[in-house]
Amino acid sequence: MPDKTEVNLTDAVVKKIEGAADARFRQVMTSLVRHLHAFVRETRLTEAEWRAGIDFLTATGHKCDHKRQEFILLSDTLGVSMLVDAINHQKPDGATESTVLGPFYVQGAPDMPLGANIAEGVEGEPVYFSGKVVSPDGTPIGGATLDIWSTDGAGQYDVQRPDGELRARGRITTDAQGNYAFWTVKPVSYPIPVDGPVGKMMLTLGRHPYRPAHTHMIVAAPGHETVTTHLFVKGDPYIESDAVFAVKDSLVVDFVPHEPGVAPDGKKMDQAWWSVDYHFGLVSRTQNAAA
Ligand code: BEZ
Ligand code: FE
């Protein structure tokens, strides 16, 4: 058997994979091995650099627990999450585009009535979101749910606070005409968690860790593709340089400022407030299968 060399080693490893029963797994692993080997050859990786890479991945694993997923943060900050999104969620015109889920989603947010304030008592400027959930052709979708979460006005998610109480989260269901409305606080830009190896990597690369202000939503309706998305605040200083590359033009919206007065739902506001008017477009499952 010939010695393994820089020239023949890749093919030798790929040959070992050829017998894998699962064809897709075989394809993905073959490609991974070929790209990894090409990376090592291209960079002429030193042993010290190889060791530093192993140490970095080990530290990334050690930072993970049931509340923190440092590997997803790594994927997000290297643009891999958004590349997977781009490949898997191509949307027709009129359908709301998707973006990253992020690490701060919590299942089981409380169901709240249409028009509720999902951020009662939370620090921040009030904002009234309203609009419809519709099909791309404009047909209203009744009974759609919006699962909403955001930072408070100081840029912190509830799960990052020591008390662990759910805040600025709620689920709202559209009426028969597809209308939704809710109050929350205006999101602000905030840094992704930087106290782990990914934060150190960002710093070493000379990258800032900020995400532009956004409100997260998962919008779902029976018979339709669920969309995981955000609405971003137009004019935010980080819109062009999101640390996780998750901004899409169609998701950047006007937060319209208002003086104290009466809001569209009749609520008397004794402080300044904001409003956002946005229609979410959901693709039906059959429509997507046919596309
Ligand atoms: C977020 O928007 O919550 C988020 C997304 C990716 C990485 C960190 C935070
Ligand atoms: Fe976020």
Side-chain angles (χ1 to χ4, degrees), residues 37-92:
H37 284 217
F39 158 75
V40 172
R41 274 193 204 93
E42 182 187 308
T43 57
R44 310 308 300 165
L45 203 69
T46 67
E47 283 185 314
E49 288 162 346
W50 171 82
R51 181 73 226 185
I54 298 287
D55 290 346
F56 173 77
L57 292 174
T58 305
T60 300
H62 284 160
K63 197 70 191 168
C64 296
D65 60 26
H66 68 290
K67 278 174 99 175
R68 174 83 177 253
Q69 231 306 351
E70 194 77 356
F71 278 110
I72 293 187
L73 200 60
L74 179 60
S75 162
D76 293 343
T77 53
L78 294 182
V80 175
S81 307
M82 284 308 291
L83 186 54
V84 173
D85 170 78
I87 290 166
N88 287 280
H89 297 290
Q90 289 172 21
K91 300 280 183 183

Side-chain angles (χ1 to χ4, degrees), residues 72-73 76-77 100-105 149 151 157 190-193 211-212 214 216 230 242-244 246:
I72 293 187
L73 200 60
D76 293 343
T77 53
V100 286
L101 176 67
F104 300 119
Y105 175 63
W149 70 106
T151 61
Y157 283 94
Y190 65 86
I192 61 167
R211 297 220 58 211
H214 56 271
H216 293 257
H230 315 347
D242 183 2
V244 301

